[in-house]
Amino acid sequence: MNHRMNDQIIVRRTETARDARNRVITVELPSRTVMGCIRAVESSWQRPANADPVTWEYKASLGFFLGEDVRKDDVLEILGRGEFVVVDVTPGRRFLSVVAIQEKRGAE
């Protein structure tokens, strides 16, 4: 499979910190743009048994060079497709394989 790293993907990461009152807060780190390969985006949906709205799920399979810093729970913004949360990162021999999901409910 030929992987062309020509897709711009914005990576957002958060970390926990303590504020002046010693409370744990979430701090968003500066976003950065990396080049990657969008291999596939699959969609699926579920209709719950009760009257809840339909749940849509999009699963993106992405590839990055091994040197890119992409971790589980990072938020990836794929241009034209929205924001995805990284659920699995697997380093291979040459590439970093990433699976990210996006969930929507009803008519969102």
Side-chain angles (χ1 to χ4, degrees):
M1 179 182 254
N2 189 6
H3 299 288
R4 295 187 180 170
M5 303 295 174
N6 57 0
D7 297 312
Q8 287 189 351
I9 300 168
I10 299 171
V11 179
R12 293 193 185 104
R13 183 174 294 157
T14 58
E15 67 178 16
T16 57
R18 296 189 182 266
D19 65 359
R21 296 176 60 191
N22 204 22
R23 293 181 298 183
V24 176
I25 59 171
T26 302
V27 178
E28 187 170 325
L29 300 176
S31 62
R32 57 192 171 84
T33 302
V34 297
M35 299 304 285
C37 174
I38 301 172
R39 295 179 183 162
V41 177
E42 303 168 2
S43 65
S44 64
W45 61 276
Q46 292 180 343
R47 179 179 301 267
N50 52 7
D52 286 343
V54 175
T55 302
W56 296 89
E57 180 178 283
Y58 295 93
K59 176 180 163 185
S61 298
L62 308 159
F64 295 98
F65 288 122
L66 285 173
E68 297 292 354
D69 184 22
V70 179
R71 301 179 192 166
K72 186 177 178 189
D73 296 329
D74 282 352
V75 176
L76 304 178
E77 182 179 338
I78 300 173
L79 300 177
R81 298 194 185 263
E83 294 183 348
F84 289 76
V85 177
V86 176
V87 293
D88 185 34
V89 178
T90 307
R93 285 187 359 193
R94 295 187 178 121
F95 298 107
L96 190 65
S97 177
V98 174
V99 175
I101 60 169
Q102 176 188 59
E103 291 184 359
K104 295 184 176 185
R105 286 173 46 108
E108 290 181 7

PDB file of all heavy atoms in Angstrom, residues 26-51:
ATOM      1  N   THR A  26      -7.767  21.112  33.743  1.00  0.00           N
ATOM      2  CA  THR A  26      -7.307  20.666  32.440  1.00  0.00           C
ATOM      3  C   THR A  26      -6.788  21.865  31.664  1.00  0.00           C
ATOM      4  O   THR A  26      -7.464  22.877  31.563  1.00  0.00           O
ATOM      5  CB  THR A  26      -8.456  20.003  31.666  1.00  0.00           C
ATOM      6  OG1 THR A  26      -8.954  18.914  32.446  1.00  0.00           O
ATOM      7  CG2 THR A  26      -7.991  19.482  30.327  1.00  0.00           C
ATOM      8  N   VAL A  27      -5.594  21.725  31.121  1.00  0.00           N
ATOM      9  CA  VAL A  27      -4.958  22.790  30.354  1.00  0.00           C
ATOM     10  C   VAL A  27      -4.769  22.295  28.929  1.00  0.00           C
ATOM     11  O   VAL A  27      -4.236  21.213  28.706  1.00  0.00           O
ATOM     12  CB  VAL A  27      -3.592  23.175  30.965  1.00  0.00           C
ATOM     13  CG1 VAL A  27      -2.906  24.242  30.133  1.00  0.00           C
ATOM     14  CG2 VAL A  27      -3.760  23.602  32.399  1.00  0.00           C
ATOM     15  N   GLU A  28      -5.221  23.102  27.956  1.00  0.00           N
ATOM     16  CA  GLU A  28      -5.036  22.723  26.557  1.00  0.00           C
ATOM     17  C   GLU A  28      -3.691  23.237  26.078  1.00  0.00           C
ATOM     18  O   GLU A  28      -3.383  24.418  26.190  1.00  0.00           O
ATOM     19  CB  GLU A  28      -6.156  23.297  25.697  1.00  0.00           C
ATOM     20  CG  GLU A  28      -6.102  22.800  24.278  1.00  0.00           C
ATOM     21  CD  GLU A  28      -7.331  23.163  23.486  1.00  0.00           C
ATOM     22  OE1 GLU A  28      -8.422  23.186  24.062  1.00  0.00           O
ATOM     23  OE2 GLU A  28      -7.185  23.429  22.286  1.00  0.00           O
ATOM     24  N   LEU A  29      -2.882  22.331  25.554  1.00  0.00           N
ATOM     25  CA  LEU A  29      -1.581  22.697  25.018  1.00  0.00           C
ATOM     26  C   LEU A  29      -1.758  23.313  23.636  1.00  0.00           C
ATOM     27  O   LEU A  29      -2.787  23.112  22.993  1.00  0.00           O
ATOM     28  CB  LEU A  29      -0.690  21.453  24.938  1.00  0.00           C
ATOM     29  CG  LEU A  29      -0.420  20.755  26.272  1.00  0.00           C
ATOM     30  CD1 LEU A  29       0.377  19.487  26.049  1.00  0.00           C
ATOM     31  CD2 LEU A  29       0.305  21.671  27.219  1.00  0.00           C
ATOM     32  N   PRO A  30      -0.779  24.074  23.156  1.00  0.00           N
ATOM     33  CA  PRO A  30      -0.914  24.664  21.816  1.00  0.00           C
ATOM     34  C   PRO A  30      -1.093  23.574  20.745  1.00  0.00           C
ATOM     35  O   PRO A  30      -0.435  22.533  20.790  1.00  0.00           O
ATOM     36  CB  PRO A  30       0.411  25.409  21.604  1.00  0.00           C
ATOM     37  CG  PRO A  30       0.984  25.574  22.968  1.00  0.00           C
ATOM     38  CD  PRO A  30       0.467  24.457  23.806  1.00  0.00           C
ATOM     39  N   SER A  31      -1.999  23.841  19.812  1.00  0.00           N
ATOM     40  CA  SER A  31      -2.232  22.858  18.747  1.00  0.00           C
ATOM     41  C   SER A  31      -1.090  22.920  17.739  1.00  0.00           C
ATOM     42  O   SER A  31      -0.388  23.918  17.625  1.00  0.00           O
ATOM     43  CB  SER A  31      -3.569  23.123  18.063  1.00  0.00           C
ATOM     44  OG  SER A  31      -3.555  24.391  17.465  1.00  0.00           O
ATOM     45  N   ARG A  32      -0.922  21.820  17.016  1.00  0.00           N
ATOM     46  CA  ARG A  32       0.122  21.768  15.995  1.00  0.00           C
ATOM     47  C   ARG A  32      -0.398  20.993  14.803  1.00  0.00           C
ATOM     48  O   ARG A  32      -1.308  20.172  14.918  1.00  0.00           O
ATOM     49  CB  ARG A  32       1.394  21.140  16.545  1.00  0.00           C
ATOM     50  CG  ARG A  32       1.230  19.769  17.100  1.00  0.00           C
ATOM     51  CD  ARG A  32       2.460  19.311  17.885  1.00  0.00           C
ATOM     52  NE  ARG A  32       2.177  18.083  18.573  1.00  0.00           N
ATOM     53  CZ  ARG A  32       2.264  16.879  18.021  1.00  0.00           C
ATOM     54  NH1 ARG A  32       2.652  16.747  16.790  1.00  0.00           N
ATOM     55  NH2 ARG A  32       1.966  15.807  18.710  1.00  0.00           N
ATOM     56  N   THR A  33       0.177  21.267  13.653  1.00  0.00           N
ATOM     57  CA  THR A  33      -0.233  20.621  12.417  1.00  0.00           C
ATOM     58  C   THR A  33       0.812  19.589  12.015  1.00  0.00           C
ATOM     59  O   THR A  33       2.003  19.884  12.003  1.00  0.00           O
ATOM     60  CB  THR A  33      -0.398  21.661  11.294  1.00  0.00           C
ATOM     61  OG1 THR A  33      -1.358  22.639  11.718  1.00  0.00           O
ATOM     62  CG2 THR A  33      -0.883  21.017  10.019  1.00  0.00           C
ATOM     63  N   VAL A  34       0.356  18.371  11.725  1.00  0.00           N
ATOM     64  CA  VAL A  34       1.249  17.307  11.272  1.00  0.00           C
ATOM     65  C   VAL A  34       0.746  16.805   9.921  1.00  0.00           C
ATOM     66  O   VAL A  34      -0.418  16.993   9.563  1.00  0.00           O
ATOM     67  CB  VAL A  34       1.330  16.144  12.290  1.00  0.00           C
ATOM     68  CG1 VAL A  34       1.912  16.604  13.599  1.00  0.00           C
ATOM     69  CG2 VAL A  34      -0.017  15.507  12.508  1.00  0.00           C
ATOM     70  N   MET A  35       1.622  16.159   9.196  1.00  0.00           N
ATOM     71  CA  MET A  35       1.256  15.564   7.918  1.00  0.00           C
ATOM     72  C   MET A  35       1.038  14.075   8.132  1.00  0.00           C
ATOM     73  O   MET A  35       1.828  13.412   8.810  1.00  0.00           O
ATOM     74  CB  MET A  35       2.350  15.801   6.882  1.00  0.00           C
ATOM     75  CG  MET A  35       2.626  17.272   6.600  1.00  0.00           C
ATOM     76  SD  MET A  35       1.186  18.189   6.072  1.00  0.00           S
ATOM     77  CE  MET A  35       1.024  17.616   4.403  1.00  0.00           C
ATOM     78  N   GLY A  36      -0.043  13.568   7.592  1.00  0.00           N
ATOM     79  CA  GLY A  36      -0.363  12.157   7.744  1.00  0.00           C
ATOM     80  C   GLY A  36      -1.087  11.633   6.523  1.00  0.00           C
ATOM     81  O   GLY A  36      -1.257  12.335   5.526  1.00  0.00           O
ATOM     82  N   CYS A  37      -1.536  10.407   6.612  1.00  0.00           N
ATOM     83  CA  CYS A  37      -2.236   9.741   5.518  1.00  0.00           C
ATOM     84  C   CYS A  37      -3.583   9.238   6.048  1.00  0.00           C
ATOM     85  O   CYS A  37      -3.615   8.436   6.981  1.00  0.00           O
ATOM     86  CB  CYS A  37      -1.404   8.574   4.999  1.00  0.00           C
ATOM     87  SG  CYS A  37      -2.234   7.570   3.769  1.00  0.00           S
ATOM     88  N   ILE A  38      -4.681   9.729   5.472  1.00  0.00           N
ATOM     89  CA  ILE A  38      -6.006   9.236   5.838  1.00  0.00           C
ATOM     90  C   ILE A  38      -6.249   7.979   5.021  1.00  0.00           C
ATOM     91  O   ILE A  38      -6.431   8.036   3.814  1.00  0.00           O
ATOM     92  CB  ILE A  38      -7.089  10.295   5.572  1.00  0.00           C
ATOM     93  CG1 ILE A  38      -6.801  11.561   6.374  1.00  0.00           C
ATOM     94  CG2 ILE A  38      -8.460   9.736   5.915  1.00  0.00           C
ATOM     95  CD1 ILE A  38      -7.702  12.721   6.036  1.00  0.00           C
ATOM     96  N   ARG A  39      -6.224   6.834   5.679  1.00  0.00           N
ATOM     97  CA  ARG A  39      -6.401   5.557   4.972  1.00  0.00           C
ATOM     98  C   ARG A  39      -7.862   5.283   4.681  1.00  0.00           C
ATOM     99  O   ARG A  39      -8.221   4.865   3.590  1.00  0.00           O
ATOM    100  CB  ARG A  39      -5.817   4.424   5.801  1.00  0.00           C
ATOM    101  CG  ARG A  39      -4.333   4.519   5.972  1.00  0.00           C
ATOM    102  CD  ARG A  39      -3.831   3.382   6.824  1.00  0.00           C
ATOM    103  NE  ARG A  39      -2.407   3.491   7.048  1.00  0.00           N
ATOM    104  CZ  ARG A  39      -1.769   2.866   8.009  1.00  0.00           C
ATOM    105  NH1 ARG A  39      -2.416   2.084   8.831  1.00  0.00           N
ATOM    106  NH2 ARG A  39      -0.475   3.017   8.154  1.00  0.00           N
ATOM    107  N   ALA A  40      -8.735   5.480   5.676  1.00  0.00           N
ATOM    108  CA  ALA A  40     -10.161   5.203   5.485  1.00  0.00           C
ATOM    109  C   ALA A  40     -10.959   5.895   6.574  1.00  0.00           C
ATOM    110  O   ALA A  40     -10.462   6.108   7.680  1.00  0.00           O
ATOM    111  CB  ALA A  40     -10.426   3.707   5.528  1.00  0.00           C
ATOM    112  N   VAL A  41     -12.192   6.258   6.250  1.00  0.00           N
ATOM    113  CA  VAL A  41     -13.155   6.754   7.232  1.00  0.00           C
ATOM    114  C   VAL A  41     -14.429   5.940   7.039  1.00  0.00           C
ATOM    115  O   VAL A  41     -15.047   5.981   5.978  1.00  0.00           O
ATOM    116  CB  VAL A  41     -13.436   8.258   7.072  1.00  0.00           C
ATOM    117  CG1 VAL A  41     -14.492   8.714   8.066  1.00  0.00           C
ATOM    118  CG2 VAL A  41     -12.170   9.072   7.246  1.00  0.00           C
ATOM    119  N   GLU A  42     -14.786   5.160   8.059  1.00  0.00           N
ATOM    120  CA  GLU A  42     -15.963   4.298   7.996  1.00  0.00           C
ATOM    121  C   GLU A  42     -17.055   4.867   8.882  1.00  0.00           C
ATOM    122  O   GLU A  42     -16.773   5.446   9.923  1.00  0.00           O
ATOM    123  CB  GLU A  42     -15.611   2.891   8.486  1.00  0.00           C
ATOM    124  CG  GLU A  42     -14.481   2.234   7.738  1.00  0.00           C
ATOM    125  CD  GLU A  42     -13.991   0.976   8.432  1.00  0.00           C
ATOM    126  OE1 GLU A  42     -14.561   0.602   9.478  1.00  0.00           O
ATOM    127  OE2 GLU A  42     -13.032   0.378   7.937  1.00  0.00           O
ATOM    128  N   SER A  43     -18.298   4.682   8.474  1.00  0.00           N
ATOM    129  CA  SER A  43     -19.412   5.165   9.286  1.00  0.00           C
ATOM    130  C   SER A  43     -20.323   4.000   9.662  1.00  0.00           C
ATOM    131  O   SER A  43     -20.455   3.032   8.913  1.00  0.00           O
ATOM    132  CB  SER A  43     -20.207   6.231   8.544  1.00  0.00           C
ATOM    133  OG  SER A  43     -20.826   5.685   7.413  1.00  0.00           O
ATOM    134  N   SER A  44     -20.942   4.131  10.822  1.00  0.00           N
ATOM    135  CA  SER A  44     -21.920   3.142  11.276  1.00  0.00           C
ATOM    136  C   SER A  44     -22.918   3.861  12.172  1.00  0.00           C
ATOM    137  O   SER A  44     -22.667   4.968  12.633  1.00  0.00           O
ATOM    138  CB  SER A  44     -21.246   1.993  12.026  1.00  0.00           C
ATOM    139  OG  SER A  44     -20.638   2.481  13.200  1.00  0.00           O
ATOM    140  N   TRP A  45     -24.049   3.253  12.394  1.00  0.00           N
ATOM    141  CA  TRP A  45     -25.061   3.850  13.255  1.00  0.00           C
ATOM    142  C   TRP A  45     -25.792   2.773  14.034  1.00  0.00           C
ATOM    143  O   TRP A  45     -25.804   1.623  13.654  1.00  0.00           O
ATOM    144  CB  TRP A  45     -26.049   4.695  12.453  1.00  0.00           C
ATOM    145  CG  TRP A  45     -26.827   3.927  11.420  1.00  0.00           C
ATOM    146  CD1 TRP A  45     -26.427   3.623  10.160  1.00  0.00           C
ATOM    147  CD2 TRP A  45     -28.119   3.345  11.585  1.00  0.00           C
ATOM    148  NE1 TRP A  45     -27.388   2.895   9.513  1.00  0.00           N
ATOM    149  CE2 TRP A  45     -28.450   2.720  10.369  1.00  0.00           C
ATOM    150  CE3 TRP A  45     -29.018   3.295  12.630  1.00  0.00           C
ATOM    151  CZ2 TRP A  45     -29.645   2.048  10.191  1.00  0.00           C
ATOM    152  CZ3 TRP A  45     -30.219   2.626  12.448  1.00  0.00           C
ATOM    153  CH2 TRP A  45     -30.514   2.022  11.230  1.00  0.00           C
ATOM    154  N   GLN A  46     -26.392   3.213  15.162  1.00  0.00           N
ATOM    155  CA  GLN A  46     -27.165   2.318  16.020  1.00  0.00           C
ATOM    156  C   GLN A  46     -28.457   3.011  16.405  1.00  0.00           C
ATOM    157  O   GLN A  46     -28.466   4.212  16.695  1.00  0.00           O
ATOM    158  CB  GLN A  46     -26.410   1.992  17.300  1.00  0.00           C
ATOM    159  CG  GLN A  46     -25.185   1.158  17.113  1.00  0.00           C
ATOM    160  CD  GLN A  46     -24.510   0.900  18.445  1.00  0.00           C
ATOM    161  OE1 GLN A  46     -24.771   1.573  19.428  1.00  0.00           O
ATOM    162  NE2 GLN A  46     -23.637  -0.083  18.484  1.00  0.00           N
ATOM    163  N   ARG A  47     -29.544   2.257  16.401  1.00  0.00           N
ATOM    164  CA  ARG A  47     -30.822   2.784  16.872  1.00  0.00           C
ATOM    165  C   ARG A  47     -31.141   2.090  18.192  1.00  0.00           C
ATOM    166  O   ARG A  47     -31.383   0.882  18.217  1.00  0.00           O
ATOM    167  CB  ARG A  47     -31.927   2.536  15.866  1.00  0.00           C
ATOM    168  CG  ARG A  47     -33.276   3.059  16.337  1.00  0.00           C
ATOM    169  CD  ARG A  47     -34.340   2.825  15.307  1.00  0.00           C
ATOM    170  NE  ARG A  47     -34.034   3.459  14.049  1.00  0.00           N
ATOM    171  CZ  ARG A  47     -34.456   4.675  13.709  1.00  0.00           C
ATOM    172  NH1 ARG A  47     -35.172   5.371  14.566  1.00  0.00           N
ATOM    173  NH2 ARG A  47     -34.153   5.179  12.537  1.00  0.00           N
ATOM    174  N   PRO A  48     -31.123   2.837  19.301  1.00  0.00           N
ATOM    175  CA  PRO A  48     -31.421   2.219  20.601  1.00  0.00           C
ATOM    176  C   PRO A  48     -32.857   1.694  20.655  1.00  0.00           C
ATOM    177  O   PRO A  48     -33.723   2.136  19.898  1.00  0.00           O
ATOM    178  CB  PRO A  48     -31.229   3.367  21.589  1.00  0.00           C
ATOM    179  CG  PRO A  48     -30.483   4.415  20.852  1.00  0.00           C
ATOM    180  CD  PRO A  48     -30.781   4.230  19.403  1.00  0.00           C
ATOM    181  N   ALA A  49     -33.105   0.755  21.564  1.00  0.00           N
ATOM    182  CA  ALA A  49     -34.430   0.139  21.698  1.00  0.00           C
ATOM    183  C   ALA A  49     -35.465   1.147  22.203  1.00  0.00           C
ATOM    184  O   ALA A  49     -36.617   1.105  21.795  1.00  0.00           O
ATOM    185  CB  ALA A  49     -34.353  -1.050  22.649  1.00  0.00           C
ATOM    186  N   ASN A  50     -35.056   2.062  23.077  1.00  0.00           N
ATOM    187  CA  ASN A  50     -35.997   3.052  23.582  1.00  0.00           C
ATOM    188  C   ASN A  50     -36.055   4.234  22.601  1.00  0.00           C
ATOM    189  O   ASN A  50     -35.582   4.151  21.483  1.00  0.00           O
ATOM    190  CB  ASN A  50     -35.609   3.499  24.994  1.00  0.00           C
ATOM    191  CG  ASN A  50     -34.161   3.940  25.050  1.00  0.00           C
ATOM    192  OD1 ASN A  50     -33.503   4.037  24.026  1.00  0.00           O
ATOM    193  ND2 ASN A  50     -33.671   4.168  26.241  1.00  0.00           N
ATOM    194  N   ALA A  51     -36.596   5.339  22.988  1.00  0.00           N
ATOM    195  CA  ALA A  51     -36.828   6.473  22.084  1.00  0.00           C
ATOM    196  C   ALA A  51     -35.628   7.416  21.974  1.00  0.00           C
ATOM    197  O   ALA A  51     -35.783   8.536  21.496  1.00  0.00           O
ATOM    198  CB  ALA A  51     -38.046   7.247  22.553  1.00  0.00           C
TER     199      ALA A  51
END
